[in-house]
Each structure stands twice: as C-alpha cells, then as structure tokens.
C-alpha cells in the first residue's frame, strides 16, 4: 500500500490545499492549555465525525450525521479545558460570522451561521490552576492565527499545550501523504492519552513503525540503559482524550467523511495503547475539500488506509516535537538516544 | 392509559421534584431571543437525548450515549440564536462550576466539570438584528434565575421568546402527569416549527386533543368565520427547531432516558405537523432524578406513553400562553373564539 507514497511538501494537514491551522495557548501563572483551529476554505469543507472515546466533550457533532442537512464545516476547533473549553468554539464562530463565513440562512449576504464543530481534551490543573481554561477569546486568537496563515508549529502548542500521553508531554502533530493518483490525505492530532504512545518493552514510539520510507530515519530504539531506567507512570486515573482531524482534497460525501473519521481511530489505536478508554473522549473529525474528483472504491480504500497511517505518524511527530515541563518530561528527554540529531 | 391520570400541582416540569427552570430573554433594539435553563438537583439527573431534526445545533450530546461514562447531567440549556446561541451553555457551565456543581474530576472538592448539554433553535433576525443572539451572560442569567427558583412563566419567554410555529408565536410550554403508581413525568418544550401546531381544517390546536380530563376545557374549535379568514403562512423556508426536556422522578438508566427522549418526538409529531424536517433541528432531552424506584417494563411503558403526551400537551400550552408581536400573531389573536375567558 505504501509503495510510491510520499509525504506532501510540509508533511502536515496544510498539504490539503485550502486548509489553514492556527494555535493559541497560555502557559504560566497557573495556565497550561490552548486551542488549535483547523480552518476550511471560506465556502467550507464537507465534514464527518466519529466519537469513539467513553468520555467525549463535543459541540456541533450531531449535524455531521450524513442524514442531516448541513454538508460543510467552516472550522474545526480542538481545545483543552475539558467541557469548559467548548467556549473556544464560540470565539471562532463569532470571528467567522463577522467575516461573513458560514452557512447562508438569510437573504442578506452576511446572514450566515458558521458551522464550527469542536471537541475538547482534559488538561485541567496541568498548569496549576484548575479553572484556567480556554475561553472564547483564546478560540478567536487561534482562529485569527489561522486566518493570518500562521507558520506551522508542532509539539507543545495549541490544544496540545497541556497534553500528556503515557507520562510524556503529548502535543500536536501532523503528517500527510500523496497517493499514487495525486490525491492528498493528511492528519492533525492532539495527543492526550491515558494509554501510551511508546512500546513499553523497547521504548520505541509506536507511531514511527507506520512511517513512510525515510520519514523517521532519525528516530530509533532507545539505548537499553535508558529503557531500563524508565519508570512508566502507574495507570493514569485522570481524564484524557486524543483529538484529530483527517483531511483530503478528494471529493467525499458526508457519509464517506464519517467513514474516514472512523478509520482514523484505527490509526490512533496503532499509535497509542490502550486508546478509547472510558476516561478518553477520543474524537476524530474528517474534512474533504473536494478539489479533486470523487475516488472510486479502490481509491477510497487506499485513501482510508493511508489516512489511518497519517494519524499514527502524526502521533509520533507530536511526541517528537513536544517539549517537557517540570512535571512532565518529553519523549526526547526520557530517551535522548532514540533521536539522532543532525 | 389515561384513566386516573392527573397533572401534577403546577402541570409543569417542576412537578418532577428537584428540577428548577430559569428564563432570560431580550426583546427590543433588534433583539427577540432568549434562553431557558432546566436545572437538575446539585448531584445531577441521569440524562439522555434524541436528535431527530435534520439541522440540529447541539453541545455535549455525544456523552449521553448510554455506552459512555458520564451518567448525570447538571443542567440542560435550550437557547435561541442558532449555533451562535450555544454560547449560552458556557455561561451556565461557568456558573455551575463556580458553585462547585459538576462531575468530580479532581482531588479537591471544587474540581468539577459541569455537564451541560444544550440545543439551539433558529430565531435569527426575528427582532430585526440578525446577530442579536444569546451569549454566555444571557445563559448565566437564565441559570441564575433557575438557581433563585424563579416563578414559573410560560409562553413568550426564554428560548421561546423569538419562536414561531406555523405563523403563530411559538413560545415555551410545559405539562405534567402523575401516574397511577405516583410516578411523575413531565415535559417542557420551546415550539419553533416549520410545521403547524394547528389543524388547518378546523383551527384546533393539535396538542389539546391529548389533554388530560378537563385540562383544555377552556379551549375549543374556533368559530368557522375565524378559520375562513385565517391565511396560514406559505411553506416556511426558514430554519426552525422544537426543543424539549422530558423528565421523571423514576430511576432510569441512561439508555432508558434515551428511550424517553426518543418517544418524546412522537409527542412532538402529534402536536406539530410536519415535524422533523430537514430545516428543523428538533432535539429532545430526558432527565431522570431517581427519587422513585426503577419501573418495571409495564410501568416504563406507561411512563413513555404518558411522557409523549406531556410533550403534545406542552406544545398546546406554549401556543396558548404565547404573546404575539407585530410580525407574528399569537394563536389567541388569530382565533379569539377558541379560548374561553373566565
């Protein structure tokens, strides 16, 4: 399946032409949380969702049911702050509504309702103050960063700012792939898991095993001494949640977008073990910009399989880019020998 | 089924002991919208939901999946403002969080996440200004009214402030019933429908046909001349949505709450025709406070049937209580002969 596959130019979600990403975050003074916005083109992208964790926190997911009216999503908001963080979507919706971007519902041009599905992850108290959570203003700041075409940043940014996975700093990561027919599929994830992104026996990042040729050639198995010294955290009892967006420039129906969101959870399952627990709110969105034609079944199968792998790879990139903080080391801090520096 | 049935003391949702209702609204200066909050007891009520309209706007509905962790809901927010109005839930969540009411997630007593599912109805522009929509502050005001045990008000209040159904002012209505075994079931609805709550041939309010003995004895078929003079509006092309909460003091599982929310849509279907169109976001929540025991199947069947009827009756009460405004007459204004005054 991976013969001839290569990442897109940035190996990230924005390789799907028309998508933009913006982060906002706050660290210090009790804070350690943030918001990541994935902005669709102004006329939206066809959207789908699959909520697979046992403790989700979501907004505007029902309308993504393929039986429902609204086809196009204008932005997806991933936020820290647990349910409090759903406030971030308000800021994004107001921002887009002010810009006249949204589902047209009136006779005048600006009479739109922006479709802004959102999901939240649990990072309460990770900066010290329990109620230091993203609000509408932080959501708007992330939305504005996306509108401004902010340069790409990964790791401990946006929704991944307070993310923890298996005792490591979690973070935001992304990956993309260009299929043999030229279609692009890509994923962005915020990795905040009760489970671990690391093979407990070897210390390897699980997601690197799904890498494209050469993608993780600078990453290997850590030295035995580092693995022996590593004390994985006891079973995590707090809440968590991995959030993600998988996107493609193919034309997909809402139903097929939901299928793409569904298989994205397989990619999560391969990169985080266990995933989808009762204390995870794991939620995956899918966006299809439709710049390229509708795939046939064989091509859609390839898109699905490669899309799932993009999620696994994005998890590994998140962990590799994340920066630790006093309570939570990064993967690179725990296993310095695993990452070759150039 | 209705033998021996009687309404509770207020014939409203608060006959389910422990539930409180609060409204906030704004009319004039471009505004005509509002928020209704149904507040559960401080330790919550078991919750369920069924989203049946084709254009829903919702928040925190996914977690009500019976397979998921969180069982108890702390408040349900019904709001105008279409998707913009989801902001109202933020104000309620912050208010409850500040009061230490919510799902406990930390070690300290105040470390809670309030579970506040919400759904919105479409009333944009009905006060003149398209973007005059409920925000977090209006949500908090409705929540505070509920906490204060505001006196019961129906009709053109709260989420029903800008509601329109079949060309009539829609409004908020409620109804309750006490079953033979002493269990109470009740409903609250905000009626904003593309369809009509009125029999087009006779001008009768459809929901009155499901009334308990004597409940609608002051309401009848309007005079033939009024019906002949009535010009029902052409097919409504705007968006709409009926929202509701059905509640009981029985102990129900989440799955049975979802079943109760599901059958609530039958009550809506009997009182509004057509309902559940692609331009409706019809959403029904269910709450079970569990003060009384779990019903057996026969008793739950009765609760379901009577609960559906409570929704139909609540729709009729909403229309009877609603007050018209210049663009939108009330049912009583159009058919004065249908309502006997005492």
């Amino acid at each position: 399946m991976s013969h001839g596959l290569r990442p897109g130019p940035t190996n990230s979600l924005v390789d799907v032409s028309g998508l933009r990403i913006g982060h906002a975050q706050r660290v210090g003074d009790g804070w350690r949380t943030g918001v990541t916005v994935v902005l669709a083109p102004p006329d939206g992208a066809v959207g789908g969702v699959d909520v697979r964790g046992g403790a989700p926190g979501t907004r505007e997911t029902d309308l993504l049911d393929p039986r429902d009216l609204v086809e196009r999503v204008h932005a997806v908001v991933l936020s820290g702050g647990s349910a409090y963080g759903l406030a971030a979507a308000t800021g994004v919706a107001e921002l887009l509504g002010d810009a006249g971007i949204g589902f047209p519902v009136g006779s005048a041009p600006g009479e739109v309702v922006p479709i802004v599905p959102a999901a939240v992850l649990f990072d309460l108290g990770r900066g010290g103050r329990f109620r230091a959570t993203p609000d509408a203003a932080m959501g708007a700041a992330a939305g504005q960063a996306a509108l401004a075409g902010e340069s790409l940043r990964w790791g401990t940014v946006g929704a991944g700012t307070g993310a923890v996975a298996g005792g490591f700093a979690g973070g935001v990561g992304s990956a993309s792939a260009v299929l043999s027919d030229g279609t692009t599929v890509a994923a962005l994830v915020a990795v905040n898991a009760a489970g671990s992104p690391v093979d407990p026996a070897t210390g390897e990042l699980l997601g690197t095993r799904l890498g494209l040729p050469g993608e993780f050639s600078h990453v290997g198995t850590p030295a035995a001494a580092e693995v022996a010294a590593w004390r994985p955290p006891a079973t995590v009892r707090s809440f968590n949640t991995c959030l993600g967006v998988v996107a493609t420039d193919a034309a997909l129906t809402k139903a097929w977008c939901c299928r793409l969101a569904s298989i994205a959870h397989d990619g999560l399952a391969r990169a985080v073990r266990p995933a989808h627990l009762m204390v995870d709110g794991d939620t995956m969105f899918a966006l299809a910009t439709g710049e390229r034609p509708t795939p046939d079944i064989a091509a859609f199968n390839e898109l699905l399989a490669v899309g799932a792998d993009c999620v696994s790879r994005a998890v590994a990139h998140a962990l590799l880019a994340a920066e630790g903080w006093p309570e939570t080391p990064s993967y690179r801090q725990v296993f310095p020998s695993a990452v070759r520096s150039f």
Side-chain angles (χ1 to χ4, degrees), chain A residues 64-276:
Chain A
L64 295 178
D65 185 318
R67 297 170 295 186
D68 287 357
L69 177 75
V70 171
E71 300 274 336
R72 288 177 170 273
V73 161
H74 302 98
V76 173
V77 175
L78 313 180
S79 179
S82 188
Y84 296 111
L86 291 172
T90 291
V92 177
E94 298 279 353
L95 180 74
L96 296 180
D98 292 348
I101 295 170
F103 185 89
V105 295
S107 41
E111 295 186 351
V112 297
V113 177
I115 306 300
V116 184
V120 292
L121 59 81
F122 187 97
D123 58 7
L124 298 179
R126 291 202 180 139
R129 189 148 72 81
F130 183 81
R131 286 285 295 280
T133 57
D135 58 6
M138 193 183 284
Q144 256 148 353
L147 282 170
E150 182 185 84
S151 61
L152 298 176
R153 291 186 294 139
W154 311 112
T156 307
V157 294
T161 302
V164 176
F168 304 96
V172 171
S174 198
S176 72
V178 182
L179 308 183
S180 47
D181 68 358
T183 301
T184 296
V185 60
L188 177 149
V189 294
V191 187
N192 188 56
S196 178
V198 166
D199 183 328
T202 66
E204 283 171 291
L205 271 175
L206 296 167
T208 61
R209 296 177 181 166
L210 287 304
L212 297 185
E215 183 176 15
F216 294 108
S217 54
H218 62 302
V219 185
T221 307
E226 286 173 11
V227 179
W230 176 43
R231 294 284 167 273
T235 310
V236 178
R237 298 187 59 86
S238 83
F239 292 82
N240 294 277
T241 289
C242 291
L243 304 176
V245 177
V246 185
T248 179
D249 52 7
L252 304 183
T253 60
K254 272 177 89 180
W256 278 21
C257 279
C258 289
R259 175 66 60 186
L260 180 58
S262 181
I263 203 165
H265 284 284
D266 289 3
L268 180 64
R270 294 184 186 111
V272 173
R273 192 171 67 94
H276 305 125

Side-chain angles (χ1 to χ4, degrees), chain A residues 8-22:
Chain A
T10 70
N11 198 15
S12 85
L13 198 75
V14 300
D15 291 338
V16 175
S17 162
L19 298 187
R20 285 175 288 178
I21 301 167

